[in-house]
Amino acid sequence: MYLYHFSMLLVTLLAVVAVAGATPAVPRAATAMYNPDLFQGDIKGIAGQEPGKERAAILGEQYLWPGGVVPYVFGNSVNSYERSLIISAMDDFHARTCIRFVERTSQSNYIEIVSNDSGCWSYVGTIGGKQRVSLDSNGCMYKGTVIHELMHAIGFYHEHCRNDRDYYVTIHYENVQAGMESQFNKDTYWQYVGEGYNYESIMHYGTYAFSVQWGVAKTIVPTDPNVILTEAYDKLQMAQSDANQINNLYRNQCSF
């Protein structure tokens, strides 16, 4: 009897240790945004740049949406709940910036928002004609994620890839998945639009982006020890600095 109880106790202890030592699962919201085959994880292409050569591009006025107006259509895959969520994300732009998303009528340049493609991604700037914004139903239907992808569509890159980022974060390449190191390349020829680095930017990735061990091996660590990075999908609105940068970038396009 004693041996039986001892054996059961040992099994229980081993189970607890196994659970405690298990690697946390990567959230689907993260894998949907951190696509290994896309530039910086969720950029399908960049206006005026040849695919595969998107590094450090500067967007000219010709790659912004004229008048700050972005026509859009929903693909047939987008259900009523998803439409409401996406429109609420657009409302964040409407309330705080000069950008206006409008339902397409006959405009030749517009975005098509779909939910049945793989992952969360967008092009940066207007590429001409119909351009897709992918908001996969499985992982991308978060207000913060939608705002993030729409900011790409109007011309923005990632905050953690700014040329001045090394003053604010350390990239631990030893913890980055093999072959994914280039996802953290800095935008050498970036365009400054009036705001300093902001950890709270909706365009900033979280601590474990492209990590070899999610929840354990950190890849993006703030130089300020008091800062805790938050994933875009956990945010409900853009930062004020994001809104300011949008208005600064579109100062020649919008009528304030």
Side-chain angles (χ1 to χ4, degrees):
M1 181 65 71
Y2 174 79
L3 183 60
Y4 171 78
H5 285 301
F6 177 78
S7 299
M8 292 303 294
L9 178 61
L10 182 60
V11 169
T12 302
L13 288 174
L14 289 174
V16 170
V17 170
V19 170
T23 300
V26 183
R28 174 56 190 161
T31 58
M33 182 171 285
Y34 301 151
N35 299 284
D37 298 326
L38 297 182
F39 178 53
Q40 294 182 5
D42 69 334
I43 295 176
K44 188 74 168 180
I46 295 171
Q49 298 296 303
E50 180 182 344
K53 297 182 179 179
E54 300 96 339
R55 302 299 189 274
I58 296 177
L59 290 176
E61 291 285 328
Q62 69 271 31
Y63 302 127
L64 302 182
W65 294 89
V69 176
V70 186
Y72 71 90
V73 297
F74 287 119
N76 293 332
S77 61
V78 184
N79 63 39
S80 59
Y81 166 76
E82 293 167 344
R83 292 185 184 215
S84 296
L85 177 67
I86 294 166
I87 289 172
S88 73
M90 292 177 175
D91 286 341
D92 196 37
F93 289 84
H94 298 165
R96 305 170 68 188
T97 78
C98 69
I99 296 295
R100 294 294 177 265
F101 292 93
V102 300
E103 292 188 61
R104 178 187 180 241
T105 52
S106 60
Q107 296 93 332
S108 58
N109 298 332
Y110 63 97
I111 62 173
E112 177 196 36
I113 302 171
V114 301
S115 61
N116 61 346
D117 212 325
S118 179
C120 324
W121 50 262
S122 175
Y123 293 86
V124 174
T126 174
I127 63 174
K130 179 176 70 174
Q131 66 185 72
R132 177 164 288 191
V133 174
S134 174
L135 296 169
D136 191 341
S137 292
N138 183 19
C140 304
M141 287 302 166
Y142 297 88
K143 187 175 180 179
T145 299
V146 178
I147 294 171
H148 181 103
E149 297 306 332
L150 292 178
M151 273 196 70
H152 281 318
I154 65 172
F156 283 87
Y157 294 98
H158 291 118
E159 190 79 358
H160 56 279
C161 290
R162 285 173 53 139
N163 187 255
D164 60 347
R165 67 104 185 274
D166 289 342
Y167 294 103
Y168 304 96
V169 296
T170 299
I171 306 300
H172 285 271
Y173 289 99
E174 72 276 13
N175 294 333
V176 175
Q177 297 169 21
M180 294 295 105
E181 295 83 0
S182 63
Q183 300 287 15
F184 296 95
N185 285 355
K186 289 187 288 186
D187 296 323
T188 307
Y189 301 107
W190 61 302
Q191 181 177 178
Y192 178 71
V193 280
E195 290 289 329
Y197 196 94
N198 188 357
Y199 296 113
E200 297 300 319
S201 170
I202 199 82
M203 304 309 289
H204 206 301
Y205 276 175
T207 304
Y208 300 102
F210 294 102
S211 173
V212 293
Q213 193 173 14
W214 183 273
V216 177
K218 298 178 180 181
T219 55
I220 307 178
V221 177
T223 55
D224 182 344
N226 296 313
V227 171
I228 298 176
L229 297 179
T230 305
E231 296 284 353
Y233 52 79
D234 284 328
K235 298 173 182 175
L236 297 178
Q237 62 182 8
M238 66 180 72
Q240 186 57 48
S241 64
D242 294 325
N244 293 345
Q245 288 185 99
I246 292 170
N247 288 329
N248 290 338
L249 182 64
Y250 276 82
R251 63 187 178 277
N252 295 329
Q253 296 292 332
C254 293
S255 298
F256 291 92

